[in-house]
Amino acid sequence: MELTQRQAQAIDQFGNDLTVSASAGAGKTRVLIERITKEILSGKIDIDRILAMTFTSAAAEEMKKRLVSAWTQALAY
């Protein structure tokens, strides 16, 4: 799935807090995971300085799973 222009802007917008709000299945989790991964790997922010919240335990578990997957892929390079 290709990113929309607004999703790409949200991922690349460093130095600002970000709220991602959209309907179910719109790609919120993907945007958050890509942004978090990019910011940490760029060295612009420490992992201890990131707060990512969601409203359900299931969504939180999905975010954790995707973050582990993103880190595993990034560290493989």
Side-chain angles (χ1 to χ4, degrees), residues 9-56:
Q9 287 173 337
I11 291 167
D12 292 333
Q13 182 183 356
F14 287 119
N16 297 319
D17 294 339
L18 175 71
T19 299
V20 176
S21 178
S23 62
K28 295 178 298 292
T29 302
R30 180 179 179 199
V31 168
L32 290 171
I33 299 306
E34 289 195 31
R35 179 183 166 100
I36 290 168
T37 302
K38 191 172 188 175
E39 285 197 14
I40 294 167
L41 292 175
S42 72
K44 294 184 179 186
I45 194 163
D46 292 328
I47 196 166
D48 296 337
R49 307 270 313 153
I50 293 175
L51 172 66
M53 293 189 306
T54 187
F55 291 102
T56 67

